[in-house]
């Protein structure tokens, strides 16, 4: 009986020491933030796509800033040399046919957006990355693209792309 309690005590102390030695802290949202990190700069994401929506750059920049500051302890700072930095460009913005009927008529159309993002880490392991993130949303070909464009961006494409960028940066996915 005493041997079992001793073993349990040693295991508990060992587990506490092991957990206390970790250098990466996790937030409630699952974000992995270096303990020394305090600031982030989500730079304005420029629209360099040949075809574009005039509000897309502003919307995606604000959504990413909001997600990062609301789901981490990082503070948005508009200056160089922050602990984390996001730079990006909208490189693709296109409407296309997604499905065709048996009479060569489009049944479904698709809006596709691609954003190229560079993530810079100046703390911890300093392993940044550059990656293109692409998301699409389909709509009926009987609808005009201009009638559904803003809704597709706000409700489908932008939330998904921002989640993808956030997860790549802070969830190690």
């Amino acid at each position: 009986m005493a041997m079992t309690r001793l073993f349990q005590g040693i295991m508990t102390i060992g587990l506490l020491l092991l957990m206390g030695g970790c250098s990466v802290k996790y937030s409630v949202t699952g974000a992995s933030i270096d303990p020394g990190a305090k600031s982030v700069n989500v730079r304005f994401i420029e629209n360099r796509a040949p075809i574009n929506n005039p509000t897309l750059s502003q919307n995606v920049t604000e959504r990413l800033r909001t997600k990062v500051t609301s789901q981490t302890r990082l503070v948005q700072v508009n200056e160089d040399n922050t602990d984390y930095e996001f730079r990006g460009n909208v490189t693709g913005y296109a409407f296309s046919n997604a499905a065709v009927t048996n009479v060569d008529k489009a049944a479904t159309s698709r809006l596709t957006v691609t954003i190229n993002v560079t993530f810079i880490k100046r703390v911890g392991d300093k392993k940044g990355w550059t990656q293109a993130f692409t998301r699409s949303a389909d709509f009926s070909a009987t609808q005009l693209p201009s009638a559904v464009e803003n809704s597709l961006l706000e409700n489908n494409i932008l939330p998904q792309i921002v989640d993808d960028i956030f997860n790549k940066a802070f969830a190690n996915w």
Side-chain angles (χ1 to χ4, degrees), residues 95-96 98 107-111 137-145 148 152:
F95 288 95
S96 61
T108 306
S109 295
R110 176 175 293 153
L111 172 59
D138 294 349
F139 60 98
S140 172
T142 60
Q143 296 177 293
L144 291 173
V148 297
L152 293 174

Side-chain angles (χ1 to χ4, degrees), residues 42-47 57-58 61 65 86-89:
V42 178
R43 294 188 179 271
F44 184 75
I45 296 173
E46 295 181 27
N47 199 336
S57 288
Q58 183 67 34
T61 301
R65 283 177 180 165
F86 291 89
R87 297 178 184 174
N89 298 298

Side-chain angles (χ1 to χ4, degrees), residues 7 11 18-19 25-26 43-44 59 68 75 80 87 89 110 114 126 133 141 143 152 154 158 167 170-171 173:
F7 179 73
M11 290 302 290
L18 180 66
M19 289 174 55
K25 301 298 180 196
Y26 294 93
R43 294 188 179 271
F44 184 75
N59 288 344
V68 170
V75 176
D80 295 333
R87 297 178 184 174
N89 298 298
R110 176 175 293 153
T114 301
K126 299 183 181 179
F133 295 88
Q143 296 177 293
L152 293 174
E154 292 299 314
L158 292 184
N167 288 337
F170 299 117
W173 289 4

Side-chain angles (χ1 to χ4, degrees), residues 80-169:
D80 295 333
N81 296 319
T82 55
D83 297 322
Y84 296 114
E85 182 178 340
F86 291 89
R87 297 178 184 174
N89 298 298
V90 178
T91 57
Y93 190 88
F95 288 95
S96 61
N97 292 331
V100 179
T101 65
N102 59 359
V103 291
D104 293 334
K105 182 178 178 184
T108 306
S109 295
R110 176 175 293 153
L111 172 59
T112 303
V113 176
T114 301
I115 301 175
N116 194 39
V117 175
T118 298
F119 177 64
I120 301 166
K121 286 179 70 175
R122 295 185 179 94
V123 294
D125 63 14
K126 299 183 181 179
K127 291 182 182 174
W129 45 260
T130 297
Q131 181 176 326
F133 295 88
T134 301
R135 285 295 183 151
S136 301
D138 294 349
F139 60 98
S140 172
T142 60
Q143 296 177 293
L144 291 173
S146 60
V148 297
E149 179 178 18
N150 288 333
S151 174
L152 293 174
L153 288 170
E154 292 299 314
N155 300 323
N156 299 87
I157 295 173
L158 292 184
Q160 293 173 357
I161 278 186
V162 167
D163 284 349
D164 291 346
I165 295 167
F166 181 88
N167 288 337
K168 173 72 177 173

Side-chain angles (χ1 to χ4, degrees), residues 49-85:
I51 300 171
N52 62 59
N53 177 302
T55 62
L56 179 59
S57 288
Q58 183 67 34
N59 288 344
V60 74
T61 301
E62 286 306 315
R63 280 178 178 260
L64 184 56
R65 283 177 180 165
T66 300
K67 180 140 183 114
V68 170
T69 57
S70 69
Q71 295 194 10
T72 69
R73 60 180 158 62
L74 299 173
V75 176
Q76 169 67 30
V77 179
N78 295 323
E79 56 188 50
D80 295 333
N81 296 319
T82 55
D83 297 322
Y84 296 114
E85 182 178 340

